[in-house]
Amino acid sequence: TIDDWMGIMNDDIKVFTQSSIRITNNDLVIYVDPYGIDNDYNDADFVLITHSHYDHFSLKDIAKVRKGSTKFIIPKDLDGKLDNYIILLPGEEYDDEYIKIKTIPAYNIDKPYHKREYGWLGYIVEINNTTYYFAGDTDCTKEAISVKCDVAFVPIGGTYTMDYMEAARLINIIKPNVAIPIHYGSIVGSYDDADKFKKYVNKDIMVDIRLKK
């Protein structure tokens, strides 16, 4: 129900800056692309990095979230940049008793910034029967429209990724329970883009705007 999803949204998810996300699910703490981190949390069980651009791979911010046992999931071009890491290529999987991670390619269709051959990643993560989709810096690709998930984090800022209309189109195709817009409000995209995105998303999909002024 919407009340159930509101509980998850209020208690378990924080969006910092750009595509920087923290999720706590049953004491498992996951960060995706930590950037603009506001405190020393040092509680990450997993850190997932989508690609090597500075607003997604920031060693300064990683230092604020990692602890001794943190496991890193990274794309191939970050090989050797961290310790305790696992490289995944698009289409590969990692799973243990706590988490299942699948990757899909994240890339631009008609822009030069994120080429498919770079091997950069979107993540589909399942924890305790909830599936999260972290799109990474991508357009509305054939792989993205095939995703099945409960909660989708999608970039809406345009220029380097989908804009709010493209992102809404993707969400209306994949139909998650909840859509959370990201990647706007700092480097590209205005905070108003989140409200515009919400207008274009079908009313039966909950839009939860976490990244605010």
Side-chain angles (χ1 to χ4, degrees), residues 127-170:
I127 317 166
N128 296 312
N129 299 313
T130 298
T131 303
Y132 306 91
Y133 171 43
F134 307 98
D137 278 12
T138 190
D139 290 331
C140 185
T141 66
K142 62 184 181 182
E143 294 88 358
I145 64 175
S146 70
V147 168
K148 303 295 182 195
C149 64
D150 299 305
V151 182
F153 297 85
V154 289
I156 66 165
T159 305
Y160 307 106
T161 70
M162 293 180 278
D163 62 19
Y164 60 85
M165 288 189 71
E166 292 173 287
R169 176 173 164 262
L170 171 61

Side-chain angles (χ1 to χ4, degrees), residues 8 10 38 45 54 60 105 113 115 121 125 142 149 162 166 178-179 197 202:
I8 289 174
N10 289 330
D38 56 4
D45 296 300
Y54 75 91
K60 177 184 79 171
Y113 309 108
K115 294 183 177 179
L121 304 174
V125 178
K142 62 184 181 182
C149 64
M162 293 180 278
E166 292 173 287
V178 182
F197 167 75
N202 292 341

Side-chain angles (χ1 to χ4, degrees), residues 21-40:
I21 300 155
R22 178 183 188 267
I23 291 179
T24 305
N25 184 314
N26 269 21
D27 297 326
L28 194 69
V29 180
I30 299 162
Y31 289 82
V32 179
D33 290 350
Y35 177 73
I37 301 297
D38 56 4
N39 284 301
D40 292 326

Side-chain angles (χ1 to χ4, degrees), residues 3-30:
D3 286 343
D4 292 336
W5 287 111
M6 282 302 294
I8 289 174
M9 296 302 101
N10 289 330
D11 297 338
D12 298 330
I13 295 173
K14 181 172 176 64
V15 179
F16 296 94
T17 304
Q18 281 291 79
S19 302
S20 177
I21 300 155
R22 178 183 188 267
I23 291 179
T24 305
N25 184 314
N26 269 21
D27 297 326
L28 194 69
V29 180
I30 299 162

Side-chain angles (χ1 to χ4, degrees), residues 164 167-169 171-172 176 179 196-207:
Y164 60 85
R169 176 173 164 262
I171 290 301
N172 290 338
K196 295 173 184 174
F197 167 75
K198 185 172 183 175
K199 260 184 221 174
Y200 283 96
V201 171
N202 292 341
K203 299 307 175 208
D204 57 341
I205 299 169
M206 175 183 163
V207 174

Side-chain angles (χ1 to χ4, degrees), residues 1 7 37 81 84 108 122 131 170 178 191 212:
T1 68
I37 301 297
K81 305 282 188 180
N84 199 27
N108 293 139
T131 303
L170 171 61
V178 182
Y191 286 101
K212 300 176 182 177

Side-chain angles (χ1 to χ4, degrees), residues 85-126:
Y85 64 91
I86 296 163
I87 294 172
L88 291 183
L89 302 177
E92 293 189 333
E93 300 183 13
Y94 167 87
D95 64 85
D96 60 26
E97 59 187 305
Y98 307 108
I99 191 170
K100 292 181 181 176
I101 300 170
K102 297 180 182 178
T103 63
I104 68 169
Y107 61 94
N108 293 139
I109 296 170
D110 54 4
K111 311 177 189 78
Y113 309 108
H114 308 86
K115 294 183 177 179
R116 182 169 185 160
E117 57 262 33
Y118 294 165
W120 290 342
L121 304 174
Y123 291 100
I124 302 164
V125 178
E126 183 182 337

